[in-house]
Amino acid sequence: MTKQKQWMIAAFTLALAAAPFAGVIFEDHDLVYAKPYAAPQAATGTVDGGEEALPAFGTTPLKLGSSGQDVYELQGRLKHLGYFNGKIDSKFGTKTKSAVTWFQWKFGLKSDGVVGAKTKLKLYNATTAWKPTAPGTSTAQKKAAPKNTAKSNTAELSSGNSMGLSENDLKIMANAVYGEARGEPFEGQVAVAAVILNRVKSPSFPNTPSGVIFQPGAFTAVADGQIYLEPNEQARKAVQQALSGWDPSGGCIYYFNPKTATSKWIWSRPQVKTIGEHIFCM
């Protein structure tokens, strides 16, 4: 009996002596497993508070019929690059779709007019300098604009019209210059207008600007719909300069962009000069 009590006392004493060590082991295990969980929480906090992942637009794809702030941003960024010349009204209409399609084609994306994640990323990266314009600014500009802007533009074009061209011909020429060469230097835009006039004068082509521009396969802007974008003032002035006799192309009747040209035949034409991204040839 005495031995049994001695064993019990010894076991109890041993348990009491081991208790502090058990607590340390338990706490150590807690620390080991706490660190892996703490790290992700810290990383998440950094992403939420930092500037590493600024999204472009929202996550919903934009397409014909969409509206709202994302469309406002889309139109603003496209206008910043010169692809969109319509009114920034936050409504995804046919003009916006045409601008999106043109942008997608230029940047090697699927040209479907739907603004998904890939298109948003490309557009965001291409317009890092873009900043939203306050709606009040555009409204003020609209109020200040003269009511007869269209008439004055036509009058300016007609002032140098020595070929007796119709107002529609002058307008479509400005559309063609804008659709084909709005990213080119002014001299290059005048050269494009001059090429159209040179074709009108040539017996090998239709004898009107409209006939020349809409001749099947003649102009990329007609094929992809950019011909219907509203031209800016620079395109109109380029037409006016060509009508007044300035021909930077040197009498050429063809031009092409060597980076995008798919026709082998065009490379066989005698090349006269290069202006901007276009090679002008006979």
Side-chain angles (χ1 to χ4, degrees):
M1 191 71 174
T2 303
K3 278 189 176 182
Q4 188 176 8
K5 284 184 178 180
Q6 287 177 346
W7 279 110
M8 289 178 66
I9 292 170
F12 182 70
T13 304
L14 183 62
L16 288 175
F21 294 100
V24 171
I25 293 170
F26 180 75
E27 288 176 4
D28 283 346
H29 276 287
D30 260 358
L31 289 172
V32 168
Y33 287 107
K35 289 179 181 178
Y37 287 101
Q41 286 175 353
T44 303
T46 302
V47 173
D48 288 344
E51 298 181 354
E52 296 179 6
L54 288 174
F57 314 101
T59 56
T60 306
L62 305 175
K63 56 185 178 179
L64 196 63
S66 297
S67 61
Q69 185 63 31
D70 284 352
V71 178
Y72 171 86
E73 181 175 347
L74 171 68
Q75 292 172 330
R77 289 181 183 276
L78 288 170
K79 195 160 192 170
H80 178 74
L81 294 175
Y83 291 97
F84 179 69
N85 197 45
K87 178 184 177 183
I88 298 180
D89 56 5
S90 303
K91 297 177 182 178
F92 198 124
T94 53
K95 282 190 175 182
T96 304
K97 182 178 180 181
S98 295
V100 169
T101 304
W102 175 245
F103 172 82
Q104 290 172 326
W105 181 78
K106 275 290 203 180
F107 281 77
L109 300 168
K110 182 181 179 182
S111 303
D112 56 4
V114 177
V115 185
K118 288 184 179 180
T119 300
K120 288 178 182 179
L121 181 60
K122 281 282 187 183
L123 185 56
Y124 177 75
N125 289 336
T127 54
T128 53
W130 174 82
K131 292 182 180 179
T133 303
T137 304
S138 58
T139 304
Q141 290 174 344
K142 184 178 179 182
K143 288 182 180 179
K147 294 182 180 180
N148 61 342
T149 303
K151 290 183 179 179
S152 61
N153 287 335
T154 305
E156 286 181 7
L157 288 175
S158 300
S159 63
N161 183 7
S162 59
M163 296 175 62
L165 302 179
S166 69
E167 289 185 5
N168 285 337
D169 281 332
L170 299 177
K171 174 69 165 60
I172 204 63
M173 279 186 67
N175 281 40
V177 170
Y178 184 75
E180 291 277 317
R182 61 179 175 273
E184 295 295 303
F186 184 65
E187 180 185 3
Q189 295 184 32
V190 177
V192 168
V195 166
I196 295 172
L197 294 179
N198 291 340
R199 289 192 181 189
V200 171
K201 298 172 186 175
S202 170
S204 302
F205 295 91
N207 59 2
T208 65
S210 294
V212 165
I213 292 167
F214 287 101
Q215 190 174 21
F219 290 90
T220 303
V222 174
D224 60 26
Q226 297 302 303
I227 191 71
Y228 299 109
L229 292 177
E230 186 65 25
N232 59 11
E233 189 62 26
Q234 191 174 41
R236 295 188 183 95
K237 288 181 178 179
V239 172
Q240 187 178 15
Q241 290 293 322
L243 286 169
S244 299
W246 184 22
D247 184 359
S249 77
C252 289
I253 53 176
Y254 299 103
Y255 66 89
F256 67 99
N257 186 331
K259 295 180 180 178
T260 59
T262 57
S263 170
K264 293 181 180 179
W265 173 84
I266 194 66
W267 287 95
S268 67
R269 308 303 303 177
Q271 297 179 12
V272 176
K273 62 165 56 177
T274 299
I275 305 174
E277 296 294 325
H278 287 146
I279 295 176
F280 293 82
C281 45
M282 303 299 289

